[in-house]
Amino acid sequence: MVMLTSFPAPTDGIKHEQPRTKLFVIDQEFGIGTLYITESKLTWINNDGEGISFLYPQISVHAVSRDVQQYGAECLIVVLDTCLEGADENREEDNDEDMATELRFVPEDKDQLDAMYRAMTFCQTQHPDPNDSFSDLSEEDAFYEDADDERNVLAGGDSEYTNGIDLINNRLNELGAMNGLRINPDEEMEDDGQFEDADD
């Protein structure tokens, strides 16, 4: 079982604060608390002052899921590139695919999911991997290959990335790519019109 620790709520650099948000670590529910998306870390604290906190380099990918059937509610999914102690006692230590932990944040106000995602994306881009050649990407380019993928993840469109879940699964084996980046160096990236010679 994942253990919560006691620490004060962050006060500096808060980009988004979402009260009445449930936390799930894999399939384990930890109740309702407040999610703080700050410039330096992602923090969730319950009403008893206990919670969890992660630096952005620990986060490999994040996405919004609209898949109510799979998860029971719309949520912000965050995948850590490490296996939290006690998150799943049945994991095989030698399996690289198991060296990750899925967190789900379910706000009472589902209309705030897009704002939560945007704040996460902004903060992720402020902490690029120095070994990543794409560390100078803009906030808009940091997660999606193109605008269609963005609309599908955020709005639940019909594509292979409909709920961001396929995207997460595809990136679990690429945990070395930090900061939520999903761009394949072997693929061309659409630059959404910011360069003069870009295709329409």
PDB file of all heavy atoms in Angstrom, residues 18-52:
ATOM      1  N   GLN A  18      -6.746  22.680  -7.652  1.00  0.00           N
ATOM      2  CA  GLN A  18      -8.028  22.037  -7.879  1.00  0.00           C
ATOM      3  C   GLN A  18      -8.508  21.312  -6.620  1.00  0.00           C
ATOM      4  O   GLN A  18      -8.049  20.225  -6.300  1.00  0.00           O
ATOM      5  CB  GLN A  18      -7.931  21.039  -9.035  1.00  0.00           C
ATOM      6  CG  GLN A  18      -9.274  20.528  -9.523  1.00  0.00           C
ATOM      7  CD  GLN A  18     -10.178  21.652  -9.986  1.00  0.00           C
ATOM      8  OE1 GLN A  18      -9.737  22.549 -10.707  1.00  0.00           O
ATOM      9  NE2 GLN A  18     -11.440  21.613  -9.582  1.00  0.00           N
ATOM     10  N   PRO A  19      -9.445  21.937  -5.888  1.00  0.00           N
ATOM     11  CA  PRO A  19      -9.968  21.287  -4.686  1.00  0.00           C
ATOM     12  C   PRO A  19     -10.916  20.141  -5.039  1.00  0.00           C
ATOM     13  O   PRO A  19     -11.320  19.984  -6.188  1.00  0.00           O
ATOM     14  CB  PRO A  19     -10.713  22.422  -3.977  1.00  0.00           C
ATOM     15  CG  PRO A  19     -11.142  23.325  -5.096  1.00  0.00           C
ATOM     16  CD  PRO A  19     -10.043  23.256  -6.124  1.00  0.00           C
ATOM     17  N   ARG A  20     -11.261  19.352  -4.040  1.00  0.00           N
ATOM     18  CA  ARG A  20     -12.207  18.250  -4.173  1.00  0.00           C
ATOM     19  C   ARG A  20     -11.861  17.363  -5.382  1.00  0.00           C
ATOM     20  O   ARG A  20     -12.660  17.168  -6.288  1.00  0.00           O
ATOM     21  CB  ARG A  20     -13.642  18.768  -4.266  1.00  0.00           C
ATOM     22  CG  ARG A  20     -14.079  19.555  -3.030  1.00  0.00           C
ATOM     23  CD  ARG A  20     -15.586  19.666  -2.924  1.00  0.00           C
ATOM     24  NE  ARG A  20     -16.224  18.347  -2.873  1.00  0.00           N
ATOM     25  CZ  ARG A  20     -16.286  17.576  -1.786  1.00  0.00           C
ATOM     26  NH1 ARG A  20     -15.706  17.961  -0.662  1.00  0.00           N
ATOM     27  NH2 ARG A  20     -16.905  16.398  -1.827  1.00  0.00           N
ATOM     28  N   THR A  21     -10.632  16.852  -5.314  1.00  0.00           N
ATOM     29  CA  THR A  21     -10.124  15.984  -6.370  1.00  0.00           C
ATOM     30  C   THR A  21      -9.735  14.632  -5.783  1.00  0.00           C
ATOM     31  O   THR A  21      -8.928  14.575  -4.850  1.00  0.00           O
ATOM     32  CB  THR A  21      -8.895  16.617  -7.056  1.00  0.00           C
ATOM     33  OG1 THR A  21      -9.285  17.856  -7.656  1.00  0.00           O
ATOM     34  CG2 THR A  21      -8.329  15.692  -8.123  1.00  0.00           C
ATOM     35  N   LYS A  22     -10.305  13.565  -6.316  1.00  0.00           N
ATOM     36  CA  LYS A  22      -9.963  12.222  -5.858  1.00  0.00           C
ATOM     37  C   LYS A  22      -8.637  11.780  -6.469  1.00  0.00           C
ATOM     38  O   LYS A  22      -8.317  12.103  -7.606  1.00  0.00           O
ATOM     39  CB  LYS A  22     -11.047  11.213  -6.255  1.00  0.00           C
ATOM     40  CG  LYS A  22     -12.332  11.325  -5.465  1.00  0.00           C
ATOM     41  CD  LYS A  22     -13.305  10.222  -5.883  1.00  0.00           C
ATOM     42  CE  LYS A  22     -14.615  10.314  -5.102  1.00  0.00           C
ATOM     43  NZ  LYS A  22     -15.557   9.228  -5.500  1.00  0.00           N
ATOM     44  N   LEU A  23      -7.892  11.025  -5.680  1.00  0.00           N
ATOM     45  CA  LEU A  23      -6.639  10.446  -6.155  1.00  0.00           C
ATOM     46  C   LEU A  23      -6.767   8.931  -6.204  1.00  0.00           C
ATOM     47  O   LEU A  23      -7.215   8.295  -5.244  1.00  0.00           O
ATOM     48  CB  LEU A  23      -5.485  10.821  -5.227  1.00  0.00           C
ATOM     49  CG  LEU A  23      -4.182  10.026  -5.432  1.00  0.00           C
ATOM     50  CD1 LEU A  23      -3.575  10.313  -6.796  1.00  0.00           C
ATOM     51  CD2 LEU A  23      -3.195  10.324  -4.313  1.00  0.00           C
ATOM     52  N   PHE A  24      -6.363   8.365  -7.340  1.00  0.00           N
ATOM     53  CA  PHE A  24      -6.246   6.919  -7.484  1.00  0.00           C
ATOM     54  C   PHE A  24      -4.814   6.599  -7.866  1.00  0.00           C
ATOM     55  O   PHE A  24      -4.260   7.220  -8.783  1.00  0.00           O
ATOM     56  CB  PHE A  24      -7.176   6.383  -8.575  1.00  0.00           C
ATOM     57  CG  PHE A  24      -8.645   6.476  -8.251  1.00  0.00           C
ATOM     58  CD1 PHE A  24      -9.344   7.654  -8.469  1.00  0.00           C
ATOM     59  CD2 PHE A  24      -9.326   5.383  -7.736  1.00  0.00           C
ATOM     60  CE1 PHE A  24     -10.694   7.746  -8.182  1.00  0.00           C
ATOM     61  CE2 PHE A  24     -10.678   5.459  -7.441  1.00  0.00           C
ATOM     62  CZ  PHE A  24     -11.372   6.649  -7.660  1.00  0.00           C
ATOM     63  N   VAL A  25      -4.194   5.662  -7.172  1.00  0.00           N
ATOM     64  CA  VAL A  25      -2.890   5.144  -7.557  1.00  0.00           C
ATOM     65  C   VAL A  25      -3.136   3.735  -8.060  1.00  0.00           C
ATOM     66  O   VAL A  25      -3.483   2.841  -7.289  1.00  0.00           O
ATOM     67  CB  VAL A  25      -1.902   5.134  -6.381  1.00  0.00           C
ATOM     68  CG1 VAL A  25      -0.560   4.549  -6.829  1.00  0.00           C
ATOM     69  CG2 VAL A  25      -1.718   6.550  -5.842  1.00  0.00           C
ATOM     70  N   ILE A  26      -3.002   3.555  -9.372  1.00  0.00           N
ATOM     71  CA  ILE A  26      -3.445   2.350 -10.064  1.00  0.00           C
ATOM     72  C   ILE A  26      -4.941   2.200  -9.763  1.00  0.00           C
ATOM     73  O   ILE A  26      -5.719   3.034 -10.184  1.00  0.00           O
ATOM     74  CB  ILE A  26      -2.610   1.122  -9.673  1.00  0.00           C
ATOM     75  CG1 ILE A  26      -1.104   1.447  -9.846  1.00  0.00           C
ATOM     76  CG2 ILE A  26      -2.983  -0.079 -10.536  1.00  0.00           C
ATOM     77  CD1 ILE A  26      -0.183   0.310  -9.497  1.00  0.00           C
ATOM     78  N   ASP A  27      -5.355   1.192  -9.003  1.00  0.00           N
ATOM     79  CA  ASP A  27      -6.778   1.027  -8.711  1.00  0.00           C
ATOM     80  C   ASP A  27      -7.115   1.343  -7.261  1.00  0.00           C
ATOM     81  O   ASP A  27      -8.232   1.094  -6.818  1.00  0.00           O
ATOM     82  CB  ASP A  27      -7.227  -0.406  -9.042  1.00  0.00           C
ATOM     83  CG  ASP A  27      -7.205  -0.681 -10.532  1.00  0.00           C
ATOM     84  OD1 ASP A  27      -7.494   0.259 -11.300  1.00  0.00           O
ATOM     85  OD2 ASP A  27      -6.889  -1.818 -10.923  1.00  0.00           O
ATOM     86  N   GLN A  28      -6.165   1.863  -6.518  1.00  0.00           N
ATOM     87  CA  GLN A  28      -6.393   2.152  -5.109  1.00  0.00           C
ATOM     88  C   GLN A  28      -6.819   3.611  -4.925  1.00  0.00           C
ATOM     89  O   GLN A  28      -6.139   4.525  -5.365  1.00  0.00           O
ATOM     90  CB  GLN A  28      -5.116   1.884  -4.311  1.00  0.00           C
ATOM     91  CG  GLN A  28      -5.261   2.125  -2.818  1.00  0.00           C
ATOM     92  CD  GLN A  28      -3.971   1.865  -2.069  1.00  0.00           C
ATOM     93  OE1 GLN A  28      -2.979   1.427  -2.655  1.00  0.00           O
ATOM     94  NE2 GLN A  28      -3.966   2.136  -0.782  1.00  0.00           N
ATOM     95  N   GLU A  29      -7.958   3.828  -4.275  1.00  0.00           N
ATOM     96  CA  GLU A  29      -8.455   5.182  -4.048  1.00  0.00           C
ATOM     97  C   GLU A  29      -7.921   5.724  -2.724  1.00  0.00           C
ATOM     98  O   GLU A  29      -7.891   5.024  -1.713  1.00  0.00           O
ATOM     99  CB  GLU A  29      -9.986   5.202  -4.028  1.00  0.00           C
ATOM    100  CG  GLU A  29     -10.558   6.595  -3.814  1.00  0.00           C
ATOM    101  CD  GLU A  29     -12.081   6.618  -3.818  1.00  0.00           C
ATOM    102  OE1 GLU A  29     -12.691   5.614  -4.224  1.00  0.00           O
ATOM    103  OE2 GLU A  29     -12.653   7.645  -3.399  1.00  0.00           O
ATOM    104  N   PHE A  30      -7.522   7.008  -2.750  1.00  0.00           N
ATOM    105  CA  PHE A  30      -6.977   7.643  -1.560  1.00  0.00           C
ATOM    106  C   PHE A  30      -7.867   8.778  -1.047  1.00  0.00           C
ATOM    107  O   PHE A  30      -7.434   9.569  -0.210  1.00  0.00           O
ATOM    108  CB  PHE A  30      -5.571   8.168  -1.833  1.00  0.00           C
ATOM    109  CG  PHE A  30      -4.540   7.080  -1.859  1.00  0.00           C
ATOM    110  CD1 PHE A  30      -4.334   6.341  -3.007  1.00  0.00           C
ATOM    111  CD2 PHE A  30      -3.805   6.769  -0.733  1.00  0.00           C
ATOM    112  CE1 PHE A  30      -3.396   5.320  -3.038  1.00  0.00           C
ATOM    113  CE2 PHE A  30      -2.874   5.750  -0.749  1.00  0.00           C
ATOM    114  CZ  PHE A  30      -2.665   5.024  -1.904  1.00  0.00           C
ATOM    115  N   GLY A  31      -9.076   8.860  -1.543  1.00  0.00           N
ATOM    116  CA  GLY A  31      -9.998   9.858  -1.034  1.00  0.00           C
ATOM    117  C   GLY A  31      -9.920  11.174  -1.776  1.00  0.00           C
ATOM    118  O   GLY A  31      -9.374  11.267  -2.879  1.00  0.00           O
ATOM    119  N   ILE A  32     -10.468  12.202  -1.144  1.00  0.00           N
ATOM    120  CA  ILE A  32     -10.576  13.525  -1.760  1.00  0.00           C
ATOM    121  C   ILE A  32      -9.560  14.479  -1.138  1.00  0.00           C
ATOM    122  O   ILE A  32      -9.340  14.479   0.075  1.00  0.00           O
ATOM    123  CB  ILE A  32     -12.001  14.088  -1.577  1.00  0.00           C
ATOM    124  CG1 ILE A  32     -13.014  13.197  -2.298  1.00  0.00           C
ATOM    125  CG2 ILE A  32     -12.087  15.516  -2.101  1.00  0.00           C
ATOM    126  CD1 ILE A  32     -14.456  13.618  -2.099  1.00  0.00           C
ATOM    127  N   GLY A  33      -8.951  15.265  -1.998  1.00  0.00           N
ATOM    128  CA  GLY A  33      -7.989  16.261  -1.538  1.00  0.00           C
ATOM    129  C   GLY A  33      -7.883  17.390  -2.540  1.00  0.00           C
ATOM    130  O   GLY A  33      -8.739  17.545  -3.414  1.00  0.00           O
ATOM    131  N   THR A  34      -6.817  18.148  -2.421  1.00  0.00           N
ATOM    132  CA  THR A  34      -6.572  19.267  -3.333  1.00  0.00           C
ATOM    133  C   THR A  34      -5.331  18.981  -4.164  1.00  0.00           C
ATOM    134  O   THR A  34      -4.293  18.581  -3.621  1.00  0.00           O
ATOM    135  CB  THR A  34      -6.373  20.585  -2.555  1.00  0.00           C
ATOM    136  OG1 THR A  34      -7.555  20.867  -1.799  1.00  0.00           O
ATOM    137  CG2 THR A  34      -6.112  21.739  -3.509  1.00  0.00           C
ATOM    138  N   LEU A  35      -5.459  19.160  -5.457  1.00  0.00           N
ATOM    139  CA  LEU A  35      -4.331  18.983  -6.367  1.00  0.00           C
ATOM    140  C   LEU A  35      -3.694  20.340  -6.622  1.00  0.00           C
ATOM    141  O   LEU A  35      -4.367  21.295  -7.005  1.00  0.00           O
ATOM    142  CB  LEU A  35      -4.799  18.369  -7.685  1.00  0.00           C
ATOM    143  CG  LEU A  35      -3.724  18.196  -8.756  1.00  0.00           C
ATOM    144  CD1 LEU A  35      -2.672  17.184  -8.314  1.00  0.00           C
ATOM    145  CD2 LEU A  35      -4.348  17.775 -10.084  1.00  0.00           C
ATOM    146  N   TYR A  36      -2.383  20.417  -6.393  1.00  0.00           N
ATOM    147  CA  TYR A  36      -1.622  21.640  -6.642  1.00  0.00           C
ATOM    148  C   TYR A  36      -0.657  21.386  -7.794  1.00  0.00           C
ATOM    149  O   TYR A  36       0.242  20.542  -7.687  1.00  0.00           O
ATOM    150  CB  TYR A  36      -0.820  22.053  -5.402  1.00  0.00           C
ATOM    151  CG  TYR A  36      -1.660  22.332  -4.175  1.00  0.00           C
ATOM    152  CD1 TYR A  36      -1.971  21.315  -3.277  1.00  0.00           C
ATOM    153  CD2 TYR A  36      -2.131  23.617  -3.902  1.00  0.00           C
ATOM    154  CE1 TYR A  36      -2.728  21.558  -2.142  1.00  0.00           C
ATOM    155  CE2 TYR A  36      -2.893  23.872  -2.776  1.00  0.00           C
ATOM    156  CZ  TYR A  36      -3.185  22.844  -1.902  1.00  0.00           C
ATOM    157  OH  TYR A  36      -3.941  23.090  -0.777  1.00  0.00           O
ATOM    158  N   ILE A  37      -0.847  22.119  -8.863  1.00  0.00           N
ATOM    159  CA  ILE A  37       0.077  22.054  -9.995  1.00  0.00           C
ATOM    160  C   ILE A  37       0.940  23.295  -9.918  1.00  0.00           C
ATOM    161  O   ILE A  37       0.492  24.401 -10.243  1.00  0.00           O
ATOM    162  CB  ILE A  37      -0.682  21.979 -11.334  1.00  0.00           C
ATOM    163  CG1 ILE A  37      -1.617  20.755 -11.339  1.00  0.00           C
ATOM    164  CG2 ILE A  37       0.297  21.889 -12.501  1.00  0.00           C
ATOM    165  CD1 ILE A  37      -2.520  20.691 -12.548  1.00  0.00           C
ATOM    166  N   THR A  38       2.157  23.143  -9.443  1.00  0.00           N
ATOM    167  CA  THR A  38       3.035  24.286  -9.247  1.00  0.00           C
ATOM    168  C   THR A  38       4.174  24.247 -10.254  1.00  0.00           C
ATOM    169  O   THR A  38       4.366  23.265 -10.974  1.00  0.00           O
ATOM    170  CB  THR A  38       3.612  24.307  -7.822  1.00  0.00           C
ATOM    171  OG1 THR A  38       4.630  23.301  -7.704  1.00  0.00           O
ATOM    172  CG2 THR A  38       2.520  24.058  -6.786  1.00  0.00           C
ATOM    173  N   GLU A  39       4.954  25.297 -10.275  1.00  0.00           N
ATOM    174  CA  GLU A  39       6.050  25.381 -11.230  1.00  0.00           C
ATOM    175  C   GLU A  39       7.117  24.316 -10.982  1.00  0.00           C
ATOM    176  O   GLU A  39       7.794  23.896 -11.916  1.00  0.00           O
ATOM    177  CB  GLU A  39       6.691  26.770 -11.157  1.00  0.00           C
ATOM    178  CG  GLU A  39       5.765  27.884 -11.640  1.00  0.00           C
ATOM    179  CD  GLU A  39       6.394  29.251 -11.484  1.00  0.00           C
ATOM    180  OE1 GLU A  39       7.452  29.329 -10.798  1.00  0.00           O
ATOM    181  OE2 GLU A  39       5.864  30.226 -12.024  1.00  0.00           O
ATOM    182  N   SER A  40       7.260  23.866  -9.739  1.00  0.00           N
ATOM    183  CA  SER A  40       8.339  22.936  -9.412  1.00  0.00           C
ATOM    184  C   SER A  40       7.898  21.501  -9.233  1.00  0.00           C
ATOM    185  O   SER A  40       8.691  20.573  -9.434  1.00  0.00           O
ATOM    186  CB  SER A  40       9.054  23.391  -8.134  1.00  0.00           C
ATOM    187  OG  SER A  40       8.139  23.427  -7.040  1.00  0.00           O
ATOM    188  N   LYS A  41       6.629  21.261  -8.844  1.00  0.00           N
ATOM    189  CA  LYS A  41       6.209  19.883  -8.576  1.00  0.00           C
ATOM    190  C   LYS A  41       4.697  19.742  -8.644  1.00  0.00           C
ATOM    191  O   LYS A  41       3.952  20.725  -8.664  1.00  0.00           O
ATOM    192  CB  LYS A  41       6.708  19.421  -7.212  1.00  0.00           C
ATOM    193  CG  LYS A  41       6.173  20.237  -6.055  1.00  0.00           C
ATOM    194  CD  LYS A  41       6.737  19.770  -4.714  1.00  0.00           C
ATOM    195  CE  LYS A  41       8.221  20.007  -4.628  1.00  0.00           C
ATOM    196  NZ  LYS A  41       8.766  19.648  -3.286  1.00  0.00           N
ATOM    197  N   LEU A  42       4.261  18.487  -8.683  1.00  0.00           N
ATOM    198  CA  LEU A  42       2.844  18.138  -8.658  1.00  0.00           C
ATOM    199  C   LEU A  42       2.543  17.575  -7.273  1.00  0.00           C
ATOM    200  O   LEU A  42       3.198  16.628  -6.828  1.00  0.00           O
ATOM    201  CB  LEU A  42       2.543  17.096  -9.737  1.00  0.00           C
ATOM    202  CG  LEU A  42       1.086  16.617  -9.862  1.00  0.00           C
ATOM    203  CD1 LEU A  42       0.208  17.741 -10.411  1.00  0.00           C
ATOM    204  CD2 LEU A  42       1.004  15.392 -10.758  1.00  0.00           C
ATOM    205  N   THR A  43       1.548  18.150  -6.599  1.00  0.00           N
ATOM    206  CA  THR A  43       1.273  17.777  -5.218  1.00  0.00           C
ATOM    207  C   THR A  43      -0.217  17.552  -5.008  1.00  0.00           C
ATOM    208  O   THR A  43      -1.043  18.324  -5.513  1.00  0.00           O
ATOM    209  CB  THR A  43       1.751  18.884  -4.246  1.00  0.00           C
ATOM    210  OG1 THR A  43       3.153  19.087  -4.420  1.00  0.00           O
ATOM    211  CG2 THR A  43       1.475  18.505  -2.798  1.00  0.00           C
ATOM    212  N   TRP A  44      -0.538  16.508  -4.246  1.00  0.00           N
ATOM    213  CA  TRP A  44      -1.925  16.244  -3.852  1.00  0.00           C
ATOM    214  C   TRP A  44      -1.944  16.053  -2.345  1.00  0.00           C
ATOM    215  O   TRP A  44      -1.154  15.280  -1.803  1.00  0.00           O
ATOM    216  CB  TRP A  44      -2.465  14.999  -4.539  1.00  0.00           C
ATOM    217  CG  TRP A  44      -3.887  14.633  -4.165  1.00  0.00           C
ATOM    218  CD1 TRP A  44      -5.028  15.056  -4.794  1.00  0.00           C
ATOM    219  CD2 TRP A  44      -4.314  13.777  -3.101  1.00  0.00           C
ATOM    220  NE1 TRP A  44      -6.135  14.512  -4.173  1.00  0.00           N
ATOM    221  CE2 TRP A  44      -5.719  13.721  -3.135  1.00  0.00           C
ATOM    222  CE3 TRP A  44      -3.634  13.043  -2.122  1.00  0.00           C
ATOM    223  CZ2 TRP A  44      -6.462  12.969  -2.223  1.00  0.00           C
ATOM    224  CZ3 TRP A  44      -4.366  12.305  -1.215  1.00  0.00           C
ATOM    225  CH2 TRP A  44      -5.771  12.265  -1.274  1.00  0.00           C
ATOM    226  N   ILE A  45      -2.835  16.778  -1.647  1.00  0.00           N
ATOM    227  CA  ILE A  45      -2.920  16.715  -0.186  1.00  0.00           C
ATOM    228  C   ILE A  45      -4.381  16.560   0.208  1.00  0.00           C
ATOM    229  O   ILE A  45      -5.249  17.300  -0.268  1.00  0.00           O
ATOM    230  CB  ILE A  45      -2.324  17.981   0.470  1.00  0.00           C
ATOM    231  CG1 ILE A  45      -0.859  18.162   0.058  1.00  0.00           C
ATOM    232  CG2 ILE A  45      -2.448  17.904   1.982  1.00  0.00           C
ATOM    233  CD1 ILE A  45      -0.220  19.407   0.622  1.00  0.00           C
ATOM    234  N   ASN A  46      -4.646  15.601   1.116  1.00  0.00           N
ATOM    235  CA  ASN A  46      -6.016  15.405   1.573  1.00  0.00           C
ATOM    236  C   ASN A  46      -6.354  16.355   2.720  1.00  0.00           C
ATOM    237  O   ASN A  46      -5.527  17.175   3.137  1.00  0.00           O
ATOM    238  CB  ASN A  46      -6.246  13.936   1.960  1.00  0.00           C
ATOM    239  CG  ASN A  46      -5.392  13.487   3.148  1.00  0.00           C
ATOM    240  OD1 ASN A  46      -4.914  14.299   3.942  1.00  0.00           O
ATOM    241  ND2 ASN A  46      -5.189  12.191   3.266  1.00  0.00           N
ATOM    242  N   ASN A  47      -7.552  16.220   3.256  1.00  0.00           N
ATOM    243  CA  ASN A  47      -8.016  17.134   4.302  1.00  0.00           C
ATOM    244  C   ASN A  47      -7.289  16.950   5.624  1.00  0.00           C
ATOM    245  O   ASN A  47      -7.383  17.805   6.513  1.00  0.00           O
ATOM    246  CB  ASN A  47      -9.524  16.959   4.513  1.00  0.00           C
ATOM    247  CG  ASN A  47     -10.327  17.362   3.289  1.00  0.00           C
ATOM    248  OD1 ASN A  47      -9.898  18.216   2.518  1.00  0.00           O
ATOM    249  ND2 ASN A  47     -11.488  16.750   3.094  1.00  0.00           N
ATOM    250  N   ASP A  48      -6.563  15.845   5.768  1.00  0.00           N
ATOM    251  CA  ASP A  48      -5.783  15.600   6.982  1.00  0.00           C
ATOM    252  C   ASP A  48      -4.344  16.090   6.856  1.00  0.00           C
ATOM    253  O   ASP A  48      -3.524  15.871   7.752  1.00  0.00           O
ATOM    254  CB  ASP A  48      -5.779  14.100   7.312  1.00  0.00           C
ATOM    255  CG  ASP A  48      -7.166  13.579   7.649  1.00  0.00           C
ATOM    256  OD1 ASP A  48      -7.949  14.338   8.269  1.00  0.00           O
ATOM    257  OD2 ASP A  48      -7.468  12.422   7.286  1.00  0.00           O
ATOM    258  N   GLY A  49      -4.037  16.734   5.743  1.00  0.00           N
ATOM    259  CA  GLY A  49      -2.691  17.245   5.541  1.00  0.00           C
ATOM    260  C   GLY A  49      -1.697  16.204   5.082  1.00  0.00           C
ATOM    261  O   GLY A  49      -0.479  16.418   5.147  1.00  0.00           O
ATOM    262  N   GLU A  50      -2.183  15.064   4.601  1.00  0.00           N
ATOM    263  CA  GLU A  50      -1.303  14.011   4.104  1.00  0.00           C
ATOM    264  C   GLU A  50      -1.441  13.901   2.588  1.00  0.00           C
ATOM    265  O   GLU A  50      -2.531  14.087   2.045  1.00  0.00           O
ATOM    266  CB  GLU A  50      -1.646  12.663   4.741  1.00  0.00           C
ATOM    267  CG  GLU A  50      -1.452  12.634   6.246  1.00  0.00           C
ATOM    268  CD  GLU A  50      -1.799  11.287   6.827  1.00  0.00           C
ATOM    269  OE1 GLU A  50      -2.658  10.586   6.248  1.00  0.00           O
ATOM    270  OE2 GLU A  50      -1.217  10.922   7.854  1.00  0.00           O
ATOM    271  N   GLY A  51      -0.359  13.582   1.931  1.00  0.00           N
ATOM    272  CA  GLY A  51      -0.437  13.480   0.483  1.00  0.00           C
ATOM    273  C   GLY A  51       0.823  12.949  -0.146  1.00  0.00           C
ATOM    274  O   GLY A  51       1.653  12.313   0.503  1.00  0.00           O
ATOM    275  N   ILE A  52       0.963  13.221  -1.450  1.00  0.00           N
ATOM    276  CA  ILE A  52       2.122  12.805  -2.222  1.00  0.00           C
ATOM    277  C   ILE A  52       2.553  13.971  -3.101  1.00  0.00           C
ATOM    278  O   ILE A  52       1.751  14.854  -3.431  1.00  0.00           O
ATOM    279  CB  ILE A  52       1.833  11.568  -3.101  1.00  0.00           C
ATOM    280  CG1 ILE A  52       0.629  11.832  -4.010  1.00  0.00           C
ATOM    281  CG2 ILE A  52       1.606  10.333  -2.240  1.00  0.00           C
ATOM    282  CD1 ILE A  52       0.333  10.674  -4.944  1.00  0.00           C
TER     283      ILE A  52
END
